[in-house]
Structures are given as C-alpha cells and as structure tokens.
Amino acid sequence: MCRFIAYSGLPLLLADLLYKPSDSLILQSYDARERREPLNGDGFGLGWYVPEIDDTPCVIRSITPAWSNSNLRHLSFKTQASRLFAHVRAASPGTGVSESNTHPFNYGRFMWMHNGAVSDFTRIKRRLRQGLKDEFYNMIAGTTDSEHAFALFLNELPDLNAVSAQEMRKTLVWTIGRLNEVSREAGITTPSFYNFAVTNGEATVVSRYCSDQNTEGASLHYARGHFLESLPDGKCDIQSVSPTEKASAVIVASEKLTDERSNWCDVPDNHTVTVFPDLTVKLEMIEL
C-alpha cells in the first residue's frame, strides 16, 4: 500500500508539507510508520492548482524514489499551493513501475489517488472497462486498479463541469459499491482496500473502506486548524481548532504528519471525510 496527503487551505510551500513535518511524506517514502512494509519507493507524484491560470491541475510524476529526487526538493522549496495532492507509491504485485501508473491521476479539473488494492484485479478488469464511455476508456493510460477506479468514478458523474462536494461524495461511494458488486460476481473473497481521494480543486473527498467488514481498513487521519510554518526547530506543525472555529488548513493523510497526536483525528472505518471549499469537514458512513 502507498502513502498520500491531501491539503486544502492557505497557500503553503510544498516543502512545508512534504519535507518539514516530523513524519513528512518524504520520510514515509522510506520509513512509513503505519504500515508493516515501511518502503514506498516505486515513484511519487504531485498535483496542485494555479487558479489564476485555469481550473486544471499541474501534475508531475516520477518513477524515482521521492527521497532521492533533487528536482522534487528544488521545486518544493519554490512552489506554493492551496490545494495539493501528493503520493508516494508502493506498487502492487503485477503492476509495472512507470509514470503512467504513478498517482495522482488527473482528467480535466479532477485528481485521484489511491492507497490500497482491488483484490484479484485482473479477474474483473475487463468487466470494469466494458461499461465505460469511450472518453474514459481511452483515458486509461496505465495498468493499475487505481486508474480504472478513477475511470469508473468519472463515467458516473452527470456533469464534469458542475460537480458539488456532495455529488463527488455520492459518486465515490457508488464507485466503491460497483467495485464490490463486480468482485462478488467474480467470486472474489479476498478483502479489497479502497482509500480513494478525489478533488476538483475546490472540494476534496477521501474514503477509508475495506470490503471485508471484519477487517480494519488502511490508516487514514485528518487535521483541521492552523498550519504553523518554520518553527524554531525547523519543523512544521498544525494546531487543531474546534469544529465551530474557522480553520485555515485541512490535511487528510495516510499517516499523521506531526508528533502532536492530539491535533489529528482518525477517520473511522467505512467512512468518507469531505473537505468543503470553506474548509469545514464532514465525516459520513459509507452505506451501500
């Protein structure tokens, strides 16, 4: 499984999110704390928005490990973002290490990431593709289960240009249900893990879900508050606020990025977390 972060809030240097927290995403690329295998070295990707130009994200991907990529470091200390997706990859068995298989995936104004795996994906891959419109069938450039799930999501949206946070959440839940349905039809009983993240540059929805109700989902947390940059020790942190207080930053992450655990909340199993444009956060149970 991989590691990812989704940031929404006031503009920050990418480095403040990727390098400076005590359990930064760069650290997680070689020493993840919340998964049994600590290595996530099969590439990385970033995506962020520059709304002064247009509403589509700038996305970069590389198959090199995040910890050793000098271009990533140089870029991160000179680039700011108010909406960021960042992902370090641990490739699933049988999927190649290539830029086309590296997250986040993007189409139009949307970005998509996945931490988890669709169990026995090759047994349902053809079935998943059969129902896609040509637009989204031809969009798929790689071989991952994650990109196919993204195509399912896009295929179900009624209007790519006018999508609310609620509509994104509804379609994400539908995508999980469809994956479950096709897996059951194929006789697959091994658990699948669906920690999906999707954004349109304004709202973000992230799921924590395992198809086996008796199995714990992959880790997922969020912090809502004020991001503290360049503390005396050179680290960054986030100071939480109450649900009724106005926040300036929300981070949804596979792992808690900072050591002050009280600033982070766990996303419960089989729930979504929605980050609205005004930075309010809503947790909802996934009911299929």
Side-chain angles (χ1 to χ4, degrees), residues 42 57 73 190 206 241 247 272:
D42 294 322
R73 174 174 282 275
T190 308
V206 188
V241 297
T272 59

Side-chain angles (χ1 to χ4, degrees), residues 262-279:
S262 63
N263 289 329
W264 293 86
C265 301
D266 294 339
V267 176
D269 269 335
N270 302 336
H271 278 67
T272 59
V273 53
T274 301
V275 182
F276 292 88
D278 65 357
L279 303 183

Side-chain angles (χ1 to χ4, degrees), residues 11-23:
L12 287 177
L13 280 175
L14 305 190
D16 290 342
L17 294 163
L18 301 180
Y19 285 91
K20 291 184 179 180
S22 55
D23 188 23

Side-chain angles (χ1 to χ4, degrees), residues 26-70:
I26 299 302
L27 180 65
Q28 293 173 37
S29 69
Y30 63 87
D31 190 21
R33 298 177 181 179
E34 296 188 48
R35 59 183 300 254
R36 285 179 293 177
E37 169 52 60
L39 195 64
N40 297 279
D42 294 322
F44 69 87
L46 304 175
W48 68 95
Y49 293 84
V50 186
E52 312 89 78
I53 298 176
D54 60 30
D55 62 1
T56 64
C58 173
V59 178
I60 64 168
R61 304 182 185 90
S62 174
I63 61 172
T64 65
W67 69 77
S68 64
N69 191 289
S70 60

Side-chain angles (χ1 to χ4, degrees), residues 150-169:
F150 184 33
L152 277 181
F153 171 86
L154 293 170
N155 197 73
E156 185 65 12
L157 286 175
D159 183 352
L160 296 183
N161 297 313
V163 182
S164 66
Q166 294 88 342
E167 190 68 44
M168 287 169 56
R169 196 254 171 196

